[in-house]
Amino acid sequence: MSGRTRVTLFGTLATLLTAWSLAPLVESSGWLVQAALLLAVQAAVGAGARRVPLAKSLTVGAQLLVSLLLLAFLFAGKAESTGSGPLAFLVTDFAGLFQQGVRDVGEFAIPAPLTDGIRLLLLAGVLLIGLLVDALAVTLRTAAAAGLPLLALYSVAAGLSDGRGQPWIAFLLAGAGYLMMLLSEGRDRLAQWGRVFGAAPNARTPASAGSGYGANGAGGTRAVAPVRTGRRIGAVALGLALAVPAVLPSLGGGMLGNPGEDAASAGGGGGTISAVNPLVSLQSSLNAQDNRVVMKYRTDSPQLGEQYLRILALDEFNGVKWEASARPLTDVPQRLPNPSGLTEEVRRSAVEVRTTVSAADTYAQRYLPMPYPATQVDIGGKWRFEPVGRTLVGDQLGKDRFQNVQGAQYTVRSLLLRPTAEQLESAPPANAAVHAEYTKLPDNLPPVVAETARRVTQGATNDYARAVKIQDFFAVSGGFRYDTKVSSGTGSQAIARFLEDKEGFCVHFAFSMAAMSRTLGIPARVAVGFTPGEKQSDGTVNVSMRDAHAWPELYFEGVGWTRFEPTPRSGITLPDYGRPEAPAPQPSASSAAPSQSAAAPSAAPSQSEACPPEQKKLGECGGPVAQRGTGSGSGGVPAGTVLGWAAVVLLVAAVPLLPLLWRRRVRERRLGSGEVLAAWRELGDCAWDVGIPPDGALSPRGAAGRVVLLGRLEGEAAEAVHRVAGAVERALYAPPGAAGAYGGLAADVLAARAALLAGVGRRSRLRALLLPRSADRLTAAATARLSAGSAALSRLGGRIRIPLRSRG
């Protein structure tokens, strides 16, 4: 096995071993077998291209082209076809499957099911890393630099896996693969130099293989490569990398650590939890194509429109994002305590509701979705209770394992609170502790947030009136548009940008109203969960991915945390107390679903003017709100995507033609100049392309005879070669002005070239046209320019003198 073949083999093995770190991200590891086969084919194409040999750029281009064709063949028919022919598949189907994979990554929890889209992302990523490793380690002979793409692959896998599996094994395999590749590359480089020479050991130190020397006859020594020393260094380095983080606790959270252990300590004794922000996947849930059902429930609530399933509350705003505070956990009590701030007067008017929930097996949420405020929860498994946010959190079951809601069935009793507008208007100021904690604002909050809040609430005389004005500003009168495609920033600047652009989805509306309320001194936080869902004919209610929602909760003394709805989204109703000049409450079990007339335009234009604000918000007045608020695309493939993929296909197809185009351009420039020496160089390159390498030691006449002999030229072609050689001799050695003009120079070179091509077989002729050997002049020219630049920099550095002040 040659040295370069060995480096190719170990480079492929290093990529595959590093790719093993991606295994914990998905449920099945069958894709690793496919990755191994694809990497083997990719490496074989590179080895064959280098054996031809092809230019380095053509080698990488051939590997890239074959990899794309393999992926296209492997995933043919996996996506819903939108056209016919290979171009339609590459441009639409393949791109659509790639986009579906991106959506699946955002929707599924780890370990995710191995969908076709996710498998495409995994295989394409591994093939890309394998191509970079092969190009750096074998084609460019810089194996050390090939560790960078391997490190990138391992870092992505380690960051996403969240400590699942055995991270130390993944690190060991990746490191061992990289060291084996370095060792094979070092042996190959050493073999090109020959034997290793060094000082012989002295008489007192016996020679050993470990020292790099071995006995050679009686008293003699022979030099061997110190391979064993390199192996020992690699083994020690890997051992230290594995052992040091385990010995030093401060390094335990690194690439080999378990971030899941630091994220929560809910094991016992009232631990604390740092909540994972569920808004990370909220936007992808709203844009999900399949809209899978995550929960089903039955309830005896008389107002289904109020049956929100709340996950947790985000009560801390640090200027970068909203997040849940770390708070102590307790055991789940038999009866949950009364909500904070709720008086007995409001409690008596409430109705206790019973809800039975069944979570899907694909929904792995560590926080229990339930109506707010819950008073009793009946669920199996290990759960903990966080009293301030009134949430249930899955307890730790073992190393890297936590209780979650996946496949759970549970029953929740909760209060359906019905505060009146009068009770909210007359609410006294919040107690000092609540006011201090829930009105905190970051220092980097833009002034436009507070200015907008003051402008919108002008004329309001109490906190309730201010809250309703802010809600109405976002939902009805402010000109805001609901759009799930907008970037979901959560920081202070994102709020200011949202107030200016006036388009976004529930995250923007909830965060902005909560921040504006805090600027007015109203305690506020953001709740995350699901809207009531869609009622089925059998009485159950389906909650799907697109029902994910965020809304603000404002605190009123005597009522407690109260939901408001600033998001102008179809299917969401305003609470009775949140309607300005609200009519008498008309509870209806079907109020959660959007009106069937929302899709039909109104016959009378005057109805839109008389439409109440809550119906305007739902788009039931024939206005354009419902059309703008759908957030769905128009279907089809965007023109930019088609043009982008077409450009990629054309670029890949043009790569093999680059040497041909380069030679044609050089030939036209040389022969068009009319210079004898330029034409002579072109004739030499034409002979080189058919397998007659140049020989700089020969005279022009001798070089011409060599070309005629090796090229088996006869008649006019042989005479043309000798005429060009004679013109070269006259140009070099004749007195000035005695050389004379040579009008048939270009014709003679072209005639000789045609005869040279005709004298070789079809395969050699194609090689001369498509992959000319004279293209090596490009590499030589680039090397010469690089050397000249390095020399110029060295000379410049030698001229620069930095004066040093003597000391002492």
Side-chain angles (χ1 to χ4, degrees), residues 57 68 170 237-238 249 346 400 448 503 532 570 588 599 609 757 782:
S57 59
L68 290 175
L238 279 177
V346 179
D400 306 333
V448 66
E503 58 182 10
S570 179
S588 173
E609 299 175 0
L757 292 175

Side-chain angles (χ1 to χ4, degrees), residues 783-800:
T783 303
R785 291 181 180 178
L786 183 60
S787 300
S790 300
L793 290 176
S794 300
R795 290 193 299 269
L796 180 61
R799 295 193 188 101
I800 298 176

Side-chain angles (χ1 to χ4, degrees), residues 299-618:
T299 182
D300 57 4
S301 173
Q303 285 185 274
L304 189 59
E306 300 294 330
Q307 192 73 4
Y308 280 57
L309 296 179
R310 184 174 175 274
I311 297 176
L312 81 164
L314 310 178
D315 53 11
E316 184 175 329
F317 185 32
N318 57 16
V320 177
K321 60 182 178 179
W322 287 79
E323 58 186 359
S325 302
R327 300 184 185 276
L329 303 178
T330 65
D331 294 332
V332 181
Q334 181 68 26
R335 182 83 179 178
L336 303 186
N338 289 331
S340 61
L342 182 63
T343 61
E344 186 60 28
E345 179 184 0
V346 179
R347 172 68 176 81
R348 282 196 303 267
S349 64
V351 177
E352 188 167 75
V353 175
R354 185 176 185 272
T355 305
T356 302
V357 186
S358 176
D361 293 333
T362 57
Y363 182 58
Q365 169 62 252
R366 201 175 151 206
Y367 300 88
L368 189 67
M370 53 187 183
Y372 181 87
T375 58
Q376 187 175 357
V377 183
D378 182 12
I379 185 173
K382 298 179 64 177
W383 296 88
R384 305 280 286 173
F385 178 60
E386 194 274 287
V388 178
R390 300 184 67 83
T391 57
L392 260 64
V393 187
D395 202 351
Q396 188 168 1
L397 302 177
K399 185 178 181 181
D400 306 333
R401 294 177 56 244
F402 294 89
Q403 179 72 55
N404 61 48
V405 75
Q406 190 173 16
Q409 294 185 355
Y410 55 99
T411 301
V412 181
R413 291 187 178 274
S414 59
L415 295 177
L416 177 60
L417 298 177
R418 295 173 173 175
T420 64
E422 292 76 12
Q423 289 173 329
L424 293 171
E425 285 178 349
S426 60
N431 68 74
V434 172
H435 186 275
E437 181 176 2
Y438 294 100
T439 57
K440 290 180 181 178
L441 289 169
D443 296 334
N444 63 344
L445 187 68
V448 66
V449 179
E451 294 171 0
T452 305
R454 289 193 298 269
R455 174 174 55 83
V456 169
T457 59
Q458 282 183 355
T461 58
N462 54 71
D463 288 346
Y464 166 73
R466 297 185 185 97
V468 171
K469 281 182 173 290
I470 296 176
Q471 175 184 258
D472 184 68
F473 169 69
F474 286 118
V476 180
S477 62
F480 287 84
R481 186 169 68 93
Y482 182 80
D483 186 0
T484 60
K485 306 297 183 182
V486 178
S487 175
S488 57
T490 59
S492 298
Q493 297 301 324
I495 295 176
R497 186 168 57 252
F498 169 67
L499 293 176
E500 178 181 358
D501 298 341
K502 294 191 175 184
E503 58 182 10
F505 59 104
C506 57
V507 168
H508 301 93
F509 289 96
F511 287 176
S512 300
M513 181 170 178
M516 291 171 63
S517 299
R518 286 194 175 191
T519 63
L520 300 175
I522 306 174
R525 64 187 185 187
V526 176
V528 181
F530 294 93
T531 54
E534 184 176 355
K535 191 171 184 178
Q536 307 299 303
S537 58
D538 60 354
T540 62
V541 182
N542 288 353
V543 179
S544 62
M545 298 288 290
R546 294 183 191 172
D547 291 317
H549 190 46
W551 62 91
E553 290 182 341
L554 276 57
Y555 184 86
F556 293 90
E557 195 66 44
V559 179
W561 291 103
T562 307
R563 176 178 67 90
F564 284 83
E565 269 300 353
T567 305
R569 172 178 162 188
S570 179
I572 297 178
T573 58
L574 291 175
D576 292 339
Y577 55 79
R579 298 173 181 173
E581 300 179 0
Q586 297 178 356
S588 173
S590 62
S591 60
S595 171
Q596 297 298 323
S597 64
S602 175
S606 60
Q607 291 180 3
S608 177
E609 299 175 0
C611 184
E614 62 272 13
Q615 294 187 17
K616 281 186 180 180
K617 180 184 171 186
L618 292 176

